[in-house]
Amino acid sequence: MTNNTASLTYRRAATQQASVVGLVIALHDTLIGDLRRAAEAMEKNDIASRCEQLIHGFKVLQQLEAMLDMNNGGQTALNIRRFYTHVRGQMLAAQFKLSPEILHDQIRIVLEIRQAWHHVDSAPMEARTTTTSSYTSGQESVSQAIQPEAQTSFSCNG
C-alpha cells in the first residue's frame, strides 16, 4: 500500500466517523493542504502540480458549499457561502497573477476559520446547534470530495 493510498484510506475512515463539524474541519484541512501545495508548486514553476492542487481546492470548496443548508442556515449560512466565494475568487486571482502570496494569505484565513470550527466542535452540544444548523450532513459526499481523481471544469494553463 503506497503512502497516498494509505492516506486516502485513513481519511475515508475518519470522515465516516466524524460529526458534521468534524467533516467541515477535515475539508478545511484538505483545502489548506491544497493551497500550500499549490503555492509551493507556483514557487517552483511546477504547472502540472499547481493546476492539480488548485483544481482539488475548488472541488473542496464546492463540497463545503454543497453541505450548506441555505434553507435553514439563515444569515450564518449566507456568510459562510460568501467566505467560500471570496476564497475561490482569491484562488483564481493567484492563478492568473501567478502569486503564491495570495495563496499564503488564503491559507492563513482558512486556518483561522478552521480553528473557529474546532472551537465549535469542542463546545458543549447545546452551543453547537445554531452554528451546525448551517450545514447538512453530507458524510458520503465528503469522502468523494477528498479524492484527487474527480473531474472538474476548471482549466489550468501555464
Side-chain angles (χ1 to χ4, degrees):
M1 183 180 286
T2 66
N3 282 344
N4 195 24
T5 305
S7 175
L8 184 58
T9 301
Y10 171 78
R11 288 187 289 174
R12 281 184 182 154
T15 58
Q16 289 174 352
Q17 302 300 320
S19 65
V20 173
V21 175
L23 294 173
V24 171
I25 292 169
L27 286 169
H28 280 80
D29 288 342
T30 301
L31 179 59
I32 290 165
D34 292 340
L35 294 173
R36 278 193 180 125
R37 288 185 295 275
E40 289 168 4
M42 202 174 279
E43 291 163 349
K44 294 176 183 175
N45 201 26
D46 181 349
I47 297 167
S49 181
R50 179 188 79 219
C51 292
E52 179 182 324
Q53 296 306 315
L54 287 173
I55 288 168
H56 192 261
F58 287 126
K59 292 175 192 174
V60 172
L61 284 171
Q62 183 179 23
Q63 180 60 46
L64 283 163
E65 286 179 311
M67 290 174 64
L68 286 171
D69 185 350
M70 299 310 293
N71 294 326
N72 300 310
Q75 190 63 41
T76 302
L78 185 59
N79 290 340
I80 294 169
R81 186 173 66 183
R82 285 181 183 148
F83 169 71
Y84 296 146
T85 299
H86 169 78
V87 173
R88 180 180 296 104
Q90 290 301 104
M91 289 169 64
L92 287 169
Q95 166 65 5
F96 295 131
K97 295 178 181 180
L98 296 176
S99 173
E101 294 80 16
I102 294 173
L103 294 177
H104 289 298
D105 287 342
Q106 295 314 296
I107 291 166
R108 181 185 51 75
I109 293 167
V110 172
L111 186 56
E112 288 174 15
I113 298 300
R114 184 244 185 250
Q115 289 170 336
W117 279 113
H118 181 71
H119 181 71
V120 167
D121 199 34
S122 302
M125 188 56 91
E126 314 80 58
R128 289 192 226 175
T129 306
T130 303
T131 306
T132 58
S133 67
S134 299
Y135 282 93
T136 59
S137 179
Q139 293 176 333
E140 288 182 14
S141 56
V142 169
S143 63
Q144 293 173 355
I146 59 177
Q147 294 180 27
E149 56 270 8
Q151 298 296 314
T152 187
S153 61
F154 175 76
S155 109
C156 193
N157 297 317

